Amino acid sequence: MNSELAFFKLKANEISHKSFESWLYSSAEIEDILSSNDYLELISLDYQKQSSLYEATKILEAHFSVGKYYDWYIRRLLNHIVKRSENAQLYICLLYTSPSPRDVEES
């Protein structure tokens, strides 16, 4: 998974604490993207705490396009709708209400 996709999934709450932490420690690309201070802050977070993903998102938002995130997010919702996934009606509602799919499990 590339750094931009990891950020998108983190912002959309589609990645677990463990998965994000594992990706972070194994990614050489993220070190090149972030400043040394931001990288140190990111790897210093306690990923056992729920708030760590929020804090990580705030650090990464300064380095990735939030506009691209919303483009990715809307396309994902539309793909679920077009595929007529089990929760299609919820994805339709999310298009109008929420910028992240917190209430919908992946089908």
Side-chain angles (χ1 to χ4, degrees):
M1 170 170 39
N2 71 32
S3 296
E4 187 175 60
L5 182 58
F7 166 67
F8 292 167
K9 287 187 171 205
L10 177 66
K11 187 159 179 63
N13 290 325
E14 291 184 4
I15 192 168
S16 69
H17 289 84
K18 279 188 175 190
S19 295
F20 181 76
E21 186 176 23
S22 295
W23 169 81
L24 176 63
Y25 296 138
S26 65
S27 172
E29 178 188 17
I30 196 69
E31 283 185 77
D32 297 332
I33 294 171
L34 302 180
S35 67
S36 55
N37 288 339
D38 283 347
Y39 181 71
L40 182 60
E41 190 174 346
L42 196 62
I43 63 170
S44 298
L45 292 173
D46 179 2
Y47 288 98
Q48 301 305 314
K49 294 182 179 178
Q50 184 66 29
S51 63
S52 64
L53 294 183
Y54 172 79
E55 293 170 29
T57 300
K58 290 300 172 196
I59 293 166
L60 293 172
E61 279 180 343
H63 300 278
F64 294 99
S65 169
V66 176
K68 278 187 177 181
Y69 161 74
Y70 286 111
D71 179 62
W72 170 86
Y73 173 74
I74 291 169
R75 287 175 190 269
R76 268 179 82 84
L77 292 180
L78 291 172
N79 281 332
H80 283 289
I81 294 165
V82 168
K83 290 178 183 176
R84 298 177 188 238
S85 69
E86 211 174 286
N87 297 322
Q89 70 275 13
L90 293 174
Y91 288 106
I92 291 169
C93 290
L94 286 172
L95 282 172
Y96 293 100
T97 59
S98 174
S100 79
R102 293 184 179 116
D103 302 324
V104 180
E105 293 179 9
E106 285 297 308
S107 350

